[in-house]
Amino acid sequence: MAKTSMVNRDLKRAKLSKKYAAKREALKKTISSQSASYEEKMEAVTKLQKLPRDSSPSRERNRCALSGRSRGVYSKFGLGRNMLRKATMNGDVPGLRKASW
């Protein structure tokens, strides 16, 4: 089980990135636009840098939905490798079973 503080930190980051998503997108569009002047682009870069650091979606971490584990997470299932194995053994994941040959 992951530390509760780490899981809560990731939830906070997800909330912040959702809150500032539109603002970040508008500023990035201004920065990459061909028609914007150099001063407008530099102003947009400055505003983008002033946004909270945790509002960047790249700072979010994939975590297991059950245990909160950050490593070994299968994005297709949203579970860590340990929890995915347990769920497979219980038959909770349709179409997935332990390999045997």
Side-chain angles (χ1 to χ4, degrees), residues 25-92:
E25 188 64 36
L27 289 171
K28 285 185 175 189
K29 189 178 273 189
T30 304
I31 292 168
S32 65
S33 92
Q34 297 286 329
S35 60
S37 69
Y38 180 76
E39 289 78 21
E40 290 173 339
K41 288 183 180 186
M42 286 299 111
E43 185 180 339
V45 167
T46 305
K47 286 182 180 178
L48 186 64
Q49 289 173 346
K50 297 238 186 219
L51 290 179
R53 180 179 283 177
D54 283 342
S55 68
S56 174
S58 64
R59 287 179 63 93
E60 290 178 45
R61 183 83 188 187
N62 290 339
R63 290 196 174 269
C64 175
L66 298 177
S67 65
R69 183 180 168 88
S70 62
R71 295 179 177 216
V73 177
Y74 289 87
S75 58
K76 183 176 181 179
F77 303 104
L79 298 173
R81 58 185 177 81
N82 304 345
M83 294 297 136
L84 182 61
R85 186 173 190 274
K86 281 183 185 176
T88 302
M89 293 300 186
N90 293 337
D92 295 337

